[in-house]
Amino acid sequence: VRTWKEAVTLSGHEDSVESCCLAGGGVAVTGSRDSTVRLWDARAGGVLATLCLDAAISSVCVAPARMLIAYGDATGALGLLKPRGLQDR
């Protein structure tokens, strides 16, 4: 049986996290019922950006080469986000 050691904890959402993924370059992306998508420094654990949206986020997916984030929300909408300033990470 293998055991795992937690590398870092990402804390900051105000409601449950419904989806997360790794975006490459040490960036993680999370979507939450608090209606935010957050970008994290997955190595240090800090928030890089918080994107406030209009509905609870149910899923996130990232195209790392373009740092394009797709999200689905509780209304059934799908959105695409391209955060500025993170392309060079």
Side-chain angles (χ1 to χ4, degrees):
V1 174
R2 285 189 157 187
T3 59
W4 296 83
K5 179 182 175 190
E6 186 173 294
V8 67
T9 299
L10 307 175
S11 298
H13 280 290
E14 295 177 14
D15 206 334
S16 62
V17 173
E18 299 296 314
S19 183
C20 62
C21 63
L22 297 175
V27 175
V29 179
T30 57
S32 171
R33 291 183 54 84
D34 67 6
S35 302
T36 65
V37 171
R38 292 185 187 229
L39 283 69
W40 305 83
D41 179 330
R43 295 179 184 124
V47 176
L48 299 171
T50 300
L51 310 161
C52 298
L53 301 166
D54 295 327
I57 305 303
S58 54
S59 63
V60 291
C61 179
V62 177
R66 297 176 133 190
M67 198 51 199
L68 186 65
I69 300 168
Y71 69 89
D73 70 23
T75 70
L78 172 67
L80 296 173
L81 304 167
K82 185 162 181 72
R84 295 182 185 161
L86 297 175
Q87 292 83 357
D88 298 328
R89 287 192 59 79

